[in-house]
Amino acid sequence: MNSDNQQNKYILQSVENALSIIDLLCEHEELGVSEIGKLLNVGKSTAFRLLTTLQSKNYVYKDENSKYRLSPKFLSIGDIVSNRMEIINKVHPFLVQLANYSSETSHLGIWYSKTEVTFIDKVTGKNSIRMSSMIGSNKIAHSTSLGKSLLAFSDEATIDYYLNNAEYKLNTDKSIKNKEDLRSNLIKIQADGYAVDDEEAEIGLVCFAAPVLVRGKAIAAISVSGPSSRMNPRKDELTDMVKKIADEIGSSIV
């Protein structure tokens, strides 16, 4: 089986059709249900259900002439993609520097939602081990050093919301168990200027992270990760380095 056939067997027709509607509305300023059905070669009722689904998620809207258009949501999506690409381009050389210095894996992360962070860049060092982090993957913030450093340097309203709404899942016996423990951890991070994931997400994995501050606001965080046997003996050295590089990144963005 060639690669095209292999890929095609995993494609969901309804999702493909919905995305095709978005493509059509990029080409045409507005279209009606019948027009979309004809262009997609699907029945009017099918086109209507697809459009209703897209409308419910605010990807399209219906104007006064019952024509469908792309919604302003795509403006915010474009901004998100643009901002992520911009910060990746600016930070990547610093991640390379951190990975080369430590010989371990460095990461860049930002907020994905009010309780999750997402990894948007990663550089592996010469001694890097295999770990579960993937570019684009999302994790509960306090289960990562990246997320904890972002959270610790957020405003009080953001911290309060997180403490009361996050899921306190126990990945290991070292995981943070409740909001009281997390609050104490955040106070320490604020004092130290860095966060530690001490085998809280994976047994044997230790991560050190620091926030990237721009005008006092944490816009991202960087981390260095590796096995506890190598990371813990170098804790002071590596936390100093990750803080130094995070400060350099923040200064370069201002």
Side-chain angles (χ1 to χ4, degrees), residues 8 32 39 51 68 71 83 102 117 131 163 196 200 224 232-233 246 250:
N8 287 341
L39 289 167
L51 284 162
Y68 288 87
S71 83
N83 290 339
S102 64
V117 292
M131 60 184 72
L163 291 171
V196 178
E200 296 160 40
V224 59
N232 286 332

Side-chain angles (χ1 to χ4, degrees), residues 95-104 234 237-238 241 245:
L95 289 188
V96 172
Q97 179 187 348
L98 182 56
N100 287 342
Y101 175 84
S102 64
S103 298
E104 307 293 352
R234 301 177 67 192
E237 171 197 359
L238 292 177
M241 178 55 65
I245 292 177

Side-chain angles (χ1 to χ4, degrees), residues 141 143-150 195-197 207-210 221 223-225:
S143 69
T144 70
S145 60
L146 271 171
K148 286 195 288 186
S149 60
L150 275 172
V196 178
D197 167 8
C207 310
F208 305 133
S223 70
V224 59
S225 308

Side-chain angles (χ1 to χ4, degrees), residues 78-126:
D79 284 342
I80 290 169
V81 173
S82 177
N83 290 339
R84 287 182 181 178
M85 290 303 297
E86 183 178 1
I87 195 168
I88 289 170
N89 290 336
K90 288 183 176 180
V91 174
H92 188 78
F94 292 97
L95 289 188
V96 172
Q97 179 187 348
L98 182 56
N100 287 342
Y101 175 84
S102 64
S103 298
E104 307 293 352
T105 299
S106 61
H107 291 94
L108 169 65
I110 59 175
W111 284 109
Y112 174 77
S113 69
K114 290 184 177 181
T115 58
E116 292 178 304
V117 292
T118 184
F119 294 89
I120 59 173
D121 200 10
K122 174 180 179 178
V123 177
T124 56
K126 65 180 181 180

Side-chain angles (χ1 to χ4, degrees), residues 194-233:
Y194 66 86
V196 178
D197 167 8
D198 182 16
E199 301 184 82
E200 296 160 40
E202 298 179 37
I203 292 295
L205 179 67
V206 169
C207 310
F208 305 133
V212 175
L213 300 175
V214 175
R215 292 181 288 277
K217 179 182 178 182
I219 64 163
I222 61 169
S223 70
V224 59
S225 308
S228 57
S229 59
R230 292 201 299 260
M231 297 292 287
N232 286 332

